[in-house]
């Protein structure tokens, strides 16, 4: 199957700083990428849908100014957590969708804000 | 709106025993149904999916699931559990073939000797 690479796999940052997470489709073009957030022992919650070349669509309750999403190319989407706070600590997972509309997931990023 | 319910947040089986993980869904249109497995601190790996056609779907690692429209269910089974099957399993639904997935709350499978 297709591969989605997510980087970094884990990051620790100080409160108030920003963190950028990258999601790359390595062997296919992903016109759409999804960003999910997963709290400990909970399910994945969709944060936003990212379409190449256009603004992301955010789910209800997700602050678009805090979670900046950029999808500048068919193989790269980034999620920037701005002014991070401890409550933003979570596991963030991206997925890219290929032409067959199958979703392939990245390895996830464990964010810890201290 | 679509939703997924996974009964049992934790399931424990003996090695070699049958694995049954339950999933019920609600959808206003014919659903696409998925089962994913997640190992600690990793992303999700697709086990199997149902789109159309045969209601019994076979996936990787010996898993299979049956789509039962009358019961709005898509339970995951494996005849004989292996220690390596211990992981978190998520059922998901998308409506009408769209790729926006709604996940269940997950079931942690434990396999004991």
């Amino acid at each position: 199957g297709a591969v989605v690479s997510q980087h970094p796999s884990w990051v620790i940052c100080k409160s108030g700083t920003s963190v950028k997470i990258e999601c790359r489709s390595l062997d296919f073009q992903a016109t759409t990428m999804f960003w999910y957030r997963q709290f400990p022992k909970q399910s994945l919650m969709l944060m936003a849908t990212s379409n190449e070349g256009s603004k992301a669509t955010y789910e209800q309750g997700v602050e678009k100014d805090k979670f900046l999403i950029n999808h500048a190319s068919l193989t790269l989407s980034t999620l920037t957590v701005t002014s991070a706070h401890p409550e933003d600590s979570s596991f963030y997972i991206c997925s890219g969708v290929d032409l067959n509309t199958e979703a392939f997931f990245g390895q996830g990023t464990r964010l810890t804000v201290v | 709106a679509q939703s997924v319910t996974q009964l049992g947040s934790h399931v424990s089986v003996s090695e070699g025993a049958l694995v049954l993980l339950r999933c019920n869904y609600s959808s206003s249109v014919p659903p696409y149904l998925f089962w994913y497995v997640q190992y600690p601190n990793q992303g999700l790996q697709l086990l199997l999916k149902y789109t159309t056609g045969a209601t019994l779907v076979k996936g990787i690692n010996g898993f299979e699931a049956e789509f039962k429209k009358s019961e709005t269910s898509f339970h995951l089974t494996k005849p004989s559990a292996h220690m390596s099957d211990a992981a978190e399993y998520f059922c998901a639904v998308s409506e009408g073939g769209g790729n926006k997935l709604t996940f269940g709350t997950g079931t942690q499978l434990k396999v004991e000797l």
Side-chain angles (χ1 to χ4, degrees):
Chain A
V3 177
V4 172
S5 176
Q6 191 172 337
H7 180 80
S9 57
W10 61 271
V11 59
I12 301 173
C13 71
K14 293 184 177 181
S15 285
T17 61
S18 295
V19 173
K20 179 184 285 188
I21 302 170
E22 292 187 349
C23 181
R24 293 181 184 272
S25 57
L26 297 185
D27 48 6
F28 69 99
Q29 293 184 328
T31 54
T32 301
M33 287 188 172
F34 297 94
W35 287 95
Y36 296 85
R37 181 174 182 177
Q38 185 181 30
F39 290 104
K41 302 186 186 301
Q42 294 187 30
S43 189
L44 286 76
M45 300 299 295
L46 180 65
M47 298 175 65
T49 303
S50 169
N51 292 299
E52 187 264 339
S54 63
K55 290 185 178 180
T57 302
Y58 291 82
E59 295 299 301
Q60 191 172 10
V62 178
E63 299 175 61
K64 62 180 181 180
D65 294 330
K66 181 169 188 59
F67 299 99
L68 301 180
I69 292 174
N70 183 279
H71 194 161
S73 77
L74 288 172
T75 58
L76 174 64
S77 177
T78 61
L79 168 67
T80 301
V81 183
T82 63
S83 186
H85 288 96
E87 57 265 32
D88 298 325
S89 298
S90 190
F91 193 59
Y92 293 87
I93 304 177
C94 69
S95 74
V97 178
D98 68 1
L99 289 175
N100 295 320
T101 71
E102 180 171 344
F104 298 94
F105 287 82
Q107 309 94 315
T109 298
R110 172 73 60 193
L111 170 63
T112 302
V113 184
V114 298
Chain B
Q2 56 200 29
S3 67
V4 177
T5 301
Q6 289 183 243
L7 290 176
S9 58
H10 292 81
V11 170
S12 184
V13 300
S14 299
E15 191 175 33
L18 171 71
V19 175
L20 171 60
L21 305 183
R22 298 179 185 274
C23 173
N24 289 87
Y25 70 91
S26 68
S27 176
S28 57
V29 299
Y32 282 25
L33 296 159
F34 307 80
W35 275 99
Y36 287 90
V37 60
Q38 184 183 34
Y39 295 98
N41 292 311
Q42 294 189 28
L44 277 71
Q45 181 181 10
L46 180 67
L47 280 177
L48 49 81
K49 64 179 178 180
Y50 168 80
T51 55
T52 58
T55 57
L56 181 62
V57 181
K58 295 185 183 298
I60 62 172
N61 301 339
F63 285 95
E64 62 181 39
E66 186 171 10
F67 169 59
K68 292 186 176 181
K69 184 178 179 180
S70 61
E71 298 178 8
T72 61
S73 69
F74 191 57
H75 302 328
L76 181 71
T77 61
K78 181 174 180 177
S80 177
H82 191 272
M83 295 296 288
S84 60
D85 295 327
E88 184 92 22
Y89 291 81
F90 291 97
C91 182
V93 63
S94 72
E95 289 189 333
N99 38 53
K100 187 174 177 180
L101 296 172
T102 297
F103 287 88
T105 50
T107 298
Q108 183 71 45
L109 175 65
K110 182 178 180 181
V111 182
E112 300 174 320
L113 288 172

